[in-house]
Amino acid sequence: MFTPVTADFFDTSTLELSRSLLGQILVHELPEGIVAGRIVETEAYLGAEDRAAHSFGNRRTKRTEVMFGKPGLVYTYQMHTHTLINVVAEAEDTPRAILIRAVEPVEGIELMGELRGRHMPIKQWTSGPGKLTKAMAITMDYYGHHFTEKPLYIARGNPVQDVSVGPRVGIGNSLEAVHYPYRFWETENPFVSKFR
């Protein structure tokens, strides 16, 4: 039903990729079935010159190592108890990445409900970067995986026509980078994270 994008999908600038990821489908093929969500919100992190990026100043650590790899690799990291998932962008040794902040469920709704907890409205299942990984059973194990390869991949969707742009969320200690307009979201989509 879903087919992974080819590697050349990722061969563009970080900001352009952040925008073009909107409307594409994040797919996870689990033993229990497929869960999939249409990407509706992203945040770009521009590496060495971006104080909000983990790789600011070309910081190369065990955690950031994958950011120096080829575009389309999976960069997972943990914040508190949440796993967050990113798409590595740009050429090798240019440590940039894009956080997938929110998806709109399109496949495997029942399974997502079991994973996320049916006691809450569906709009809250995937409306944030830690929420969507829980709803889609995405773990740290995918660090270094490539988004063209199953079982976790990005498939072609329909491009978003109405895109809003604004500053990123939750990076209050990063000086001028707080104001960079590097967050992209589908205007008025109810699954976008609560921050507007």
Side-chain angles (χ1 to χ4, degrees):
M1 179 183 175
F2 297 108
T3 304
V5 295
T6 52
D8 61 353
F9 173 81
F10 303 99
D11 290 339
T12 186
S13 72
T14 307
L15 294 177
E16 190 55 45
L17 183 57
S18 296
R19 188 181 286 264
S20 61
L21 280 167
L22 297 177
Q24 311 307 324
I25 312 297
L26 180 63
V27 184
H28 194 191
E29 297 185 359
L30 296 164
E32 311 92 294
I34 292 175
V35 288
R38 185 172 161 271
I39 299 171
V40 296
E41 185 181 7
T42 61
E43 278 182 347
Y45 289 87
L46 267 60
E49 66 271 28
D50 183 350
R51 286 183 183 276
H54 293 159
S55 55
F56 174 63
N58 275 323
R59 190 181 302 122
R60 197 162 190 158
T61 65
K62 188 176 178 185
R63 177 166 86 162
T64 65
E65 184 61 34
V66 73
M67 295 176 76
F68 290 83
K70 60 187 176 182
L73 287 171
V74 176
Y75 171 38
T76 49
Y77 67 90
Q78 287 196 296
M79 181 175 279
H80 310 302
T81 59
H82 304 293
T83 297
L84 277 61
I85 189 164
N86 300 257
V87 181
V88 172
E90 306 256 358
E92 291 190 54
D93 293 320
T94 308
R96 298 180 171 191
I98 298 155
L99 175 66
I100 300 176
R101 273 199 67 87
V103 301
E104 178 180 344
V106 294
E107 177 83 14
I109 310 289
E110 285 291 312
L111 185 49
M112 279 194 196
E114 289 171 26
L115 289 163
R116 193 69 181 93
R118 298 177 188 281
H119 58 281
M120 65 182 75
I122 189 171
K123 279 196 286 191
Q124 292 179 22
W125 291 0
T126 56
S127 59
K131 295 177 181 181
L132 75 89
T133 54
K134 281 191 175 72
M136 298 186 70
I138 296 168
T139 66
M140 287 294 295
D141 294 345
Y142 284 105
Y143 181 96
H145 175 83
H146 201 276
F147 276 113
T148 57
E149 298 168 1
K150 296 183 177 186
L152 178 70
Y153 56 95
I154 290 170
R156 285 275 181 197
N158 295 315
V160 168
Q161 302 305 318
D162 193 356
V163 177
S164 292
V165 181
R168 296 167 295 186
V169 175
I171 56 166
N173 60 346
S174 48
L175 302 179
E176 72 280 358
V178 170
H179 306 292
Y180 296 163
Y182 291 170
R183 184 164 67 98
F184 302 86
W185 68 95
E186 183 175 32
T187 307
E188 301 301 326
N189 186 291
F191 289 89
V192 169
S193 63
K194 64 181 180 293
F195 302 98
R196 291 286 191 249

